[in-house]
Amino acid sequence: MDMRILTNMPMPARRFKQAALLLVAVGALLTVSACREDMQNQPKYVPLRESSFFPDQRSARLPVEGTIARGQLEDDSLLYTGKVDGKESAELPFAMTAADMQRGRERYNIYCSPCHSQLGDGNGMIVQRGFKKPPSYFEPRLVQAPIGHFFNVMTRGYGAMAEYSSQVPVADRWRIAAYIRALQLTQTAKGTDVPAGVTVASHAPTEGEAPKEAK
Amino acid sequence: MAQIFHRSANSIAKASILGGLILVVGLLWAALQLQRSPYFTYAGVARPQPVPFPHQHHVAGLGIDCRYCHTTVEVSGFAGIPPTRTCMNCHSQIWTAAPMLEPVRESLRTGKSLVWTRANDLPDFVYFDHSIHVNKGVGCNTCHGRVDQMPLMYNQASLQMEWCLNCHRDPAKNLRPHYVKEDPKNPATMGDQIFNMAYQEPSDSHPVTIREGNTYKTFTSQTGPDGLGTYLAAVNHVRSPRDITSCNTCHR
């Protein structure tokens, strides 16, 4: 642009004032919105927020390999693998209470019933939609299997079934195994198995009765 | 000297004072409405995701419990977004060739995370813990809406402070029992009611029966002295509205 044109242009002071006001307004707006940015999305990590620091962009990091946190030594073979001396255990690592069984039932219905069905016959909704049918719990092979077998399958996966150790904590896996045993008993139990004078009612727990804390 | 202003200038001046007031108030009102609107809160607006994951199909169609994927909702502040492997528990065999699921398979192959856009994203200056809400009796759909009817995920609520306070001022109106008396004809009564999307609060036509020790207790109202919510607030030790509306309950 020719400089002469610029200098010859009339530029009243009013124009400058307007421009200055506009600048202040835009500046204020930017400051306010920047403020919102900083407060709303603070430069800190919340669960699963992405990181610009690590190459894989994950803020959630794995501990150095071989790290063992306090209380995570997991040296109790029966509790953590379901095996004793390399063989699937027929014993439970802790005593099952009625509340544990109730919790086992609840967890079974959440994590297992989509495929194994609430009955345990292996005809759950996902199977009806095309997933490979798992064996029924009432097969003699599974009725005779030690309880550690069910824990082991949940922990490590089996065939088409993925492992569930990342979704279901250890104690809950044992409670589920115990509930599977109870499901198996439903097919062979007789009225005479119930002690005289005892009524068995399907009942919901009282508020706060089932163990909520997961190990 | 002639009059500068015409007679009507008086009326015009008065009218413009009133008009100015109306304009200012109107603009303020419009601004408030705008910041409450989905334009700012995204309430009811489904945002683009790497995979168009339908909660409706998985929850209502297949009957999968919320906790199957959101595993930590009962024990942690964060409900948990499932890792790719959870998807693959089923999709290793179902819809294995679906183009829509290619990002999921790619994530499994390469180990790279799927980058979802959070629908319910609270500001970072708000402390929120899922576990306390779930364990004290607030149902999932109280805040998240009928997720089982959402083909694509969106936030039902505005997630604004007035919405939080609306419940914190009177939590009893939104509390539900974990367990109700089981009805073999109705599978929804079997599990934890917090996760039952179709839970109905008690009314005269729809009483809710819960167990108390060795007996059952039936409620026909949610609020009021005989209400279920009032009862649950007491047995679950929900703190008083004065405590839970204190600033530092949520801003720590």
Side-chain angles (χ1 to χ4, degrees):
Chain A
M1 195 187 264
D2 194 329
M3 278 307 283
R4 272 171 305 171
I5 300 176
L6 251 186
T7 41
N8 290 345
M9 251 165 74
M11 192 70 97
R14 210 149 45 101
R15 279 276 174 86
F16 280 117
K17 228 178 181 175
Q18 276 177 351
L21 265 175
L22 195 75
L23 259 176
V24 169
V26 168
L29 212 80
L30 280 175
T31 322
V32 168
S33 57
C35 203
R36 183 181 157 87
E37 270 309 295
D38 276 2
M39 295 288 280
Q40 200 98 353
N41 296 315
Q42 296 165 11
K44 68 178 182 187
Y45 292 139
V46 297
L48 298 191
R49 177 167 286 173
E50 68 182 349
S51 161
S52 55
F53 183 77
F54 297 103
D56 63 3
Q57 297 185 320
R58 287 182 190 153
S59 60
R61 310 306 302 171
L62 286 170
V64 176
E65 215 169 309
T67 307
I68 296 171
R70 266 171 199 274
Q72 288 180 7
L73 181 56
E74 307 195 348
D75 58 345
D76 184 339
S77 167
L78 172 59
L79 181 62
Y80 290 101
T81 67
K83 290 180 180 178
V84 175
D85 301 327
K87 282 184 71 183
E88 285 168 342
S89 165
E91 299 291 317
L92 286 164
F94 57 91
M96 287 287 156
T97 63
D100 284 319
M101 292 299 287
Q102 190 70 44
R103 169 113 181 156
R105 176 195 186 203
E106 187 183 86
R107 299 292 124 174
Y108 174 89
N109 286 341
I110 297 169
Y111 297 102
C112 315
S113 71
C115 288
H116 290 277
S117 96
Q118 296 207 347
L119 294 173
D121 60 6
N123 204 20
M125 184 56 93
I126 307 300
V127 173
Q128 293 171 34
R129 299 297 172 101
F131 203 87
K132 186 169 182 282
K133 188 179 183 297
S136 159
Y137 293 138
F138 316 131
E139 279 183 10
R141 172 177 74 88
L142 289 177
V143 171
Q144 283 149 23
I147 196 161
H149 173 70
F150 300 99
F151 181 88
N152 190 25
V153 167
M154 280 182 257
T155 307
R156 300 180 43 183
Y158 192 97
M161 175 180 154
E163 57 89 11
Y164 274 76
S165 60
S166 53
Q167 273 162 283
V168 188
V170 170
D172 281 346
R173 269 176 266 153
W174 280 109
R175 292 175 180 131
I176 291 173
Y179 180 67
I180 292 173
R181 265 284 118 89
L183 277 179
Q184 290 175 330
L185 289 173
T186 60
Q187 299 303 301
T188 51
K190 290 181 282 293
T192 48
D193 292 341
V194 182
V198 176
T199 52
V200 182
S202 166
H203 67 251
T206 299
E207 281 300 294
E209 190 188 73
K212 277 285 161 204
E213 181 243 356
K215 213 176 144 187
Chain B
M1 193 177 141
Q3 292 284 344
I4 298 172
F5 294 107
H6 189 263
R7 244 170 201 294
S8 60
N10 283 335
S11 319
I12 292 171
K14 280 178 194 159
S16 59
I17 290 170
L18 189 70
L21 263 176
I22 291 173
L23 190 76
V24 168
V25 172
L27 277 176
L28 275 174
W29 178 83
L32 280 174
Q33 289 307 307
L34 184 70
Q35 65 93 27
R36 284 192 175 107
S37 73
Y39 182 73
F40 273 91
T41 64
Y42 286 95
V45 181
R47 277 165 276 192
Q49 303 285 2
V51 179
F53 177 83
H55 272 85
Q56 184 187 42
H57 166 68
H58 289 83
V59 180
L62 303 174
I64 296 174
D65 192 281
C66 312
R67 292 164 287 181
Y68 186 90
C69 300
H70 304 292
T71 51
T72 53
V73 70
E74 293 166 298
V75 290
S76 140
F78 183 52
I81 305 288
T84 303
R85 279 185 35 201
T86 303
C87 309
M88 281 298 167
N89 282 356
C90 298
H91 288 292
S92 62
Q93 293 208 3
I94 293 178
W95 295 109
T96 48
M100 251 196 271
L101 290 176
E102 180 50 29
V104 183
R105 292 189 293 268
E106 190 199 340
S107 167
L108 190 79
R109 275 199 306 272
T110 61
K112 282 180 78 176
S113 307
L114 282 165
V115 183
W116 302 98
T117 302
R118 288 193 77 148
N120 289 278
D121 189 13
L122 281 173
D124 285 358
F125 49 78
V126 178
Y127 172 85
F128 176 80
D129 190 312
H130 269 98
S131 65
I132 188 84
H133 288 84
V134 164
N135 291 326
K136 297 279 180 185
V138 182
C140 300
N141 61 306
T142 301
C143 300
H144 291 287
R146 290 297 297 266
V147 171
D148 61 330
Q149 295 172 0
M150 296 179 187
L152 292 174
M153 192 61 192
Y154 53 84
N155 49 321
Q156 172 92 356
S158 71
L159 302 178
Q160 284 176 329
M161 187 170 159
E162 62 177 1
W163 171 78
C164 301
L165 282 174
N166 190 24
C167 184
H168 274 223
R169 285 187 180 125
D170 183 13
K173 67 185 176 192
N174 283 319
L175 298 181
R176 62 176 74 172
H178 282 282
Y179 303 100
V180 293
K181 186 178 183 181
E182 292 182 353
D183 172 7
K185 292 193 195 84
N186 181 5
T189 59
M190 298 287 184
D192 194 328
Q193 297 303 302
I194 302 295
F195 305 91
N196 175 9
M197 290 278 135
Y199 172 82
Q200 273 181 292
E201 66 172 43
S203 62
D204 284 327
S205 56
H206 175 79
V208 171
T209 304
I210 65 171
R211 189 158 161 258
E212 187 190 45
N214 286 324
T215 56
Y216 286 105
K217 208 169 158 65
T218 300
F219 294 89
T220 54
S221 64
Q222 177 68 19
T223 46
D226 295 327
L228 175 60
T230 317
Y231 172 83
L232 290 173
V235 295
N236 289 342
H237 308 293
V238 175
R239 292 172 70 174
S240 71
R242 189 174 168 275
D243 284 344
I244 59 175
T245 53
S246 159
C247 306
N248 62 2
T249 301
C250 310
H251 304 291
R252 304 186 170 189

